[in-house]
Amino acid sequence: MSSDRPTLPPVRLPSDAELARDALAAPLLARAVRLARWAGPETRVGAGGELVEDQLPAAAEALGLAPDDDGAAYASEAWRVAVDTGLVVVEEPQDDEGGGEDGAVEAGGQLALVTGGAPQDVLALWLDALETALADATAPLLDDLAGLLGEDGDLDLDALDWDPQAEAEFLDGVLGNLYLLTVTEGGSGDAPVPLPALAASMIVPDDMGEPTDDILEQVSDAMMRLDDQFRVLEPVGLVEYQPVDESLMAEEGEEPAPAQSGDDEDVSRYGMVRLTPLGLYGVRARMLEAGVDAPAVGDLADKGADSLLDGIARYPEASARAETHAWLARREPLPAARELLAAAKGADAGSPLRRLHCQQALSLVGAEAEPAVREVLDDPELGGLARVWLAEREAADVPAPPEPMIFWLAIDTIAAQLDAVGGGDLEELQELVEGLTSRHGGFFDSAWRVEHPATPEVLEAMGRLHRDKRVAKEARKAAFKARSRTAD
């Protein structure tokens, strides 16, 4: 992970209680809990804590499964989760000369948390189960076990051509991309992602136009690798997955070519995947542990107004609004309005955007904010904002702003829009700039004198954005005057 702690868009998560219910309903954890309750003094385990082979049919039946190979595989997988999460505690057989003794089993302390723990306890249990599932998903397929055994009977790891760290990093990268695609679309993860697109995001270089045949082959290999891995990860509740349509294989073992864009029905046959709300929670938890700044809506609800206004500066509009609602819900309206206005003051580079978000937050407070707004009518930084807010609510007795305040507010507003999401919507900014200059004759004659730290930058931007060449030239001249004045 990079040391500059990159910030992702915020994710919207259900409550911990809802996530905990989802965790307990996940098939893999539910089976592990059932086996932990089934296990008793007669349960026998071998080296490594796994169930001895002749107990697997009974374990499968305890899960309501047929006592066949598939049932035994499900039972073995669930037992590993029970052991790894502490739902059961195993005492492995002693390696002595007598031999023949199996290990013992008893209920683990974590089992009581399933019914008696807080939601956070259940989620911690699920995260442990997730780690087991991720390890299984990146484990090598041992189709030819006999060919992989060395002369001493041990597994020959070199013959596997398997790099566990590289496999884990690849899957982490895929889940990270899937998370980013989800939160970028608004944070709730409703739309599934085609498997070819997800595989291509890991393989195709960003600057590549038409993928080469070699790249397409690598994408195809990655698709089949992910198809296997998502089948393993779905039972733990991390993803909802529509597997690759097996009829696309011309013959057994052949890998499908990546789907071409343009046909939604065909693309879906190549696999579709989405992170569940629980999956979003799990991937985010692992990111936070790795040092990535991965915010969630509601993180700022218990912090001060300064943290709120700074924090939502790079949030998408819907997420910023949701975060502000959560912050206001914990406070009385009038004190909240006063705190927001106090936090909006300042002459630093981020202050214009703070004032813009303050104005938007005050619109959510409602009429109860009016006394706080009127208190700042004479403030040189907040007076313009206050008048706009009062005018929008058609309040009475709103004093006319002095001319310097009008131009200061214009510069501040454009500075905020320029700062929003790296410059904001170009068309919207052009309309704002052209509207200001058309309403105020001789705008630039006064604007270059505005005592605002962003005046030169704003005027330069207006020169770039205005589509009338004559007005754009006036803006650039005004920017030069503003820079000369501040340099004196």
Side-chain angles (χ1 to χ4, degrees):
M1 297 294 174
S2 62
S3 58
D4 58 355
R5 294 175 61 85
T7 301
L8 293 164
V11 62
R12 295 194 224 183
L13 294 172
S15 68
D16 284 354
E18 292 175 276
L19 290 170
R21 285 195 291 271
D22 289 346
L24 293 175
L28 184 55
L29 184 58
R31 290 182 198 133
V33 170
R34 289 179 69 178
L35 285 188
R37 290 171 175 160
W38 162 81
E42 302 302 315
T43 307
R44 293 173 292 119
V45 296
E50 77 282 0
L51 286 171
V52 297
E53 188 172 350
D54 61 7
Q55 290 232 296
L56 289 174
E61 290 181 332
L63 296 175
L65 302 172
D68 54 16
D69 289 345
D70 287 343
Y74 284 122
S76 179
E77 178 187 42
W79 183 258
R80 283 197 303 278
V81 171
V83 173
D84 290 348
T85 57
L87 292 172
V88 295
V89 176
V90 300
E91 181 180 344
E92 296 185 24
Q94 298 298 315
D95 186 14
D96 55 27
E97 294 183 1
E101 291 294 327
D102 293 316
V105 178
E106 62 182 31
Q110 300 294 87
L111 185 57
L113 298 178
V114 172
T115 54
Q120 293 84 353
D121 296 323
V122 173
L123 290 172
L125 188 69
W126 180 81
L127 286 172
D128 288 340
L130 174 61
E131 291 302 318
T132 299
L134 289 168
D136 284 349
T138 56
L141 296 175
L142 304 179
D143 295 329
D144 181 18
L145 183 58
L148 296 172
L149 295 178
E151 295 180 358
D152 57 0
D154 292 334
L155 197 62
D156 184 357
L157 295 178
D158 292 335
L160 279 175
D161 190 24
W162 174 62
D163 183 340
Q165 182 176 349
E167 290 291 331
E169 289 177 353
F170 178 82
L171 184 54
D172 280 344
V174 168
L175 294 175
N177 284 358
L178 187 54
Y179 183 94
L180 180 59
L181 287 169
T182 302
V183 298
T184 302
E185 289 299 318
S188 58
D190 294 330
V193 176
L195 194 61
L198 191 57
S201 73
M202 295 294 296
I203 303 297
V204 181
D206 292 337
D207 57 354
M208 176 175 282
E210 189 71 21
T212 63
D213 289 343
D214 178 61
I215 289 294
L216 289 175
E217 185 176 349
Q218 291 181 51
V219 170
S220 181
D221 290 342
M223 284 172 52
M224 300 316 299
R225 187 169 161 196
L226 291 173
D227 182 60
D228 289 333
Q229 291 175 333
F230 285 136
R231 290 172 192 258
V232 173
L233 294 173
E234 187 173 33
V236 79
L238 185 75
V239 296
E240 289 181 4
Y241 183 54
Q242 175 184 323
V244 175
D245 186 343
E246 294 184 3
S247 67
L248 292 170
M249 313 294 185
E251 58 186 54
E252 185 176 354
E254 183 175 337
E255 296 171 357
Q260 300 300 311
S261 59
D263 191 332
D264 292 340
E265 183 179 355
D266 283 346
V267 168
S268 70
R269 297 179 65 203
Y270 288 83
M272 302 287 285
V273 63
R274 65 179 285 268
L275 287 169
T276 64
L278 187 62
L280 285 167
Y281 168 84
V283 175
R284 175 177 181 258
R286 300 181 85 243
M287 285 182 167
L288 291 175
E289 187 176 347
V292 177
D293 189 359
V297 172
D299 281 353
L300 305 175
D302 59 350
K303 301 191 182 330
D306 53 346
S307 296
L308 173 71
L309 297 180
D310 284 335
I312 63 176
R314 295 293 178 263
Y315 281 19
E317 184 178 348
S319 298
R321 189 177 182 88
E323 188 71 63
T324 305
H325 270 300
W327 189 89
L328 291 171
R330 298 194 181 192
R331 291 161 178 80
E332 292 297 319
L334 185 56
R338 290 191 173 113
E339 187 180 350
L340 287 165
L341 287 163
K345 289 180 64 65
D348 57 284
S351 61
L353 193 53
R354 284 204 305 277
R355 284 184 281 274
L356 176 62
H357 284 302
C358 173
Q359 184 174 344
Q360 293 168 345
L362 290 173
S363 70
L364 301 179
V365 176
E368 295 92 335
E370 184 168 338
V373 174
R374 289 190 177 276
E375 290 167 3
V376 300
L377 280 170
D378 295 329
D379 187 288
E381 295 178 354
L382 302 177
L385 174 158
R387 285 167 171 79
V388 170
W389 187 89
L390 290 167
E392 287 176 345
R393 301 192 67 80
E394 300 181 347
D397 302 322
V398 182
E403 186 173 86
M405 183 176 286
I406 294 174
F407 287 98
W408 193 95
L409 179 62
I411 295 295
D412 198 60
T413 300
I414 296 174
Q417 294 291 348
L418 287 168
D419 192 26
V421 196
D425 180 9
L426 178 61
E427 185 175 347
E428 183 179 337
L429 274 171
Q430 284 179 326
E431 291 175 358
L432 175 62
V433 166
E434 293 171 358
L436 277 171
T437 55
S438 65
R439 287 195 304 273
H440 299 281
F443 177 86
F444 297 111
D445 291 337
S446 298
W448 71 268
R449 295 182 173 90
V450 172
E451 297 285 345
H452 191 295
T455 297
E457 289 79 10
V458 166
L459 293 174
E460 285 179 355
M462 293 179 76
R464 293 192 304 270
L465 290 168
H466 208 294
R467 286 169 286 199
D468 186 310
K469 291 183 179 180
R470 180 187 60 80
V471 178
K473 185 176 180 179
E474 289 180 16
R476 290 192 293 271
K477 285 183 178 180
F480 178 78
K481 290 180 181 180
R483 287 203 181 278
S484 300
R485 180 180 59 80
T486 55
D488 291 341

